[in-house]
Amino acid sequence: AQSVTQLGSHVSVSEGALVLLRCNYSSSVPPYLFWYVQYPNQGLQLLLKYTSAATLVKGINGFEAEFKKSETSFHLTKPSAHMSDAAEYFCAVTLNTGGFKTIFGAGTRLFVKA
Amino acid sequence: DTAVSQTPKYLVTQMGNDKSIKCEQNLGHDTMYWYKQDSKKFLKIMFSYNNKELIINETVPNRFSPKSPDKAHLNLHINSLELGDSAVYFCASSQGSLTTGELFFGEGSRLTVL
């Protein structure tokens, strides 16, 4: 069965510090992997996606993620946190099972301290 | 011009009532979804429609009945509301392409059952 595990329900960093949000997945077939961001009282929006091209994927707002098959990981990073990065982040795996089915991790709330 | 729009944004109702949420997308996508986000931010897929045809039904109680009059619209009707139905319901759409599976979300409809 496919699943997504996000390590840490809450992560707190100082402004300007490195952001690292962890995601591990399990999938019986090559997955499509995504990171979505949710700001308060809003829907989710795509941050970046991995679809079997380059293993290092760059997204919006300076975020990037690296797909590591041997570790079944897809961790999200940003070199320098900004106050506006405070939000809920979701890692997701999408499978095509006769229709796209996306399974989300439990989410990681990112806090950014001034 | 909102890509995926849901109405209403907020619903407050009593147990036992019936309510509907409407969703429309103007992206020209083939596939639409309903997701439920609980109070802990956990996202779970409920239904998926492709070109008006139901393709994913994730063991949702039959009090929940989706309807897709055309591929740009997906509505959700809930009968006999229960306290546990309180959540944020998100509509989403995707192109259904093998190369993406990226989801575009509406802003959510927050349902509170008293």
Side-chain angles (χ1 to χ4, degrees):
Chain A
Q2 287 70 32
S3 67
V4 178
T5 302
Q6 291 184 239
L7 298 172
S9 59
H10 297 86
V11 169
S12 182
V13 301
S14 298
E15 194 172 20
L18 171 73
V19 175
L20 170 60
L21 305 182
R22 299 177 188 272
C23 173
N24 288 89
Y25 70 92
S26 69
S27 174
S28 55
V29 297
Y32 298 131
L33 293 163
F34 301 80
W35 277 98
Y36 288 87
V37 59
Q38 185 179 27
Y39 298 103
N41 298 314
Q42 293 187 25
L44 283 72
Q45 57 183 281
L46 182 72
L47 209 51
L48 49 80
K49 62 184 177 186
Y50 168 76
T51 56
S52 76
T55 55
L56 183 62
V57 180
K58 293 188 186 300
I60 61 171
N61 301 337
F63 283 93
E64 62 182 39
E66 186 171 9
F67 172 68
K68 291 188 177 179
K69 186 177 179 181
S70 60
E71 298 176 9
T72 61
S73 69
F74 190 56
H75 301 332
L76 181 71
T77 60
K78 181 174 180 177
S80 176
H82 192 272
M83 296 296 287
S84 60
D85 295 326
E88 191 90 24
Y89 291 81
F90 293 92
C91 183
V93 59
T94 293
L95 310 155
N96 193 345
T97 56
F100 280 113
K101 180 176 175 179
T102 298
I103 297 169
F104 287 87
T108 298
R109 180 74 185 269
L110 176 66
F111 296 92
V112 182
K113 299 174 290 188
Chain B
D1 213 18
T2 306
V4 181
S5 58
Q6 303 178 222
T7 54
K9 194 164 183 177
Y10 299 97
L11 302 96
V12 180
T13 189
Q14 301 286 334
M15 278 176 53
N17 285 349
D18 304 338
K19 286 293 176 188
S20 292
I21 307 171
K22 295 187 175 183
C23 179
E24 175 182 4
Q25 55 96 2
N26 63 8
L27 297 167
H29 288 166
D30 294 328
T31 308
M32 296 184 72
Y33 311 79
W34 280 110
Y35 277 84
K36 179 181 181 180
Q37 186 174 48
D38 64 23
S39 57
K40 295 185 179 178
K41 301 288 188 182
F42 185 69
L43 270 160
K44 191 173 189 313
I45 189 168
M46 301 173 69
F47 301 103
S48 171
Y49 272 75
N50 181 267
N51 278 322
K52 303 192 298 175
E53 181 186 345
L54 180 67
I55 54 173
I56 294 175
N57 182 341
E58 286 289 301
T59 60
V60 177
N62 58 15
R63 297 183 296 104
F64 290 78
S65 50
K67 278 192 172 54
S68 182
D70 55 60
K71 74 173 192 177
H73 295 84
L74 179 61
N75 304 323
L76 182 66
H77 187 75
I78 316 170
N79 289 325
S80 303
L81 279 157
E82 300 177 357
L83 292 176
D85 298 332
S86 295
V88 182
Y89 292 85
F90 285 100
C91 177
S93 70
S94 71
Q95 181 56 34
S97 162
L98 280 174
T99 60
T100 57
E102 173 187 347
L103 293 169
F104 292 78
F105 283 85
E107 295 205 335
S109 297
R110 182 177 294 275
L111 172 65
T112 303
V113 183
L114 303 174

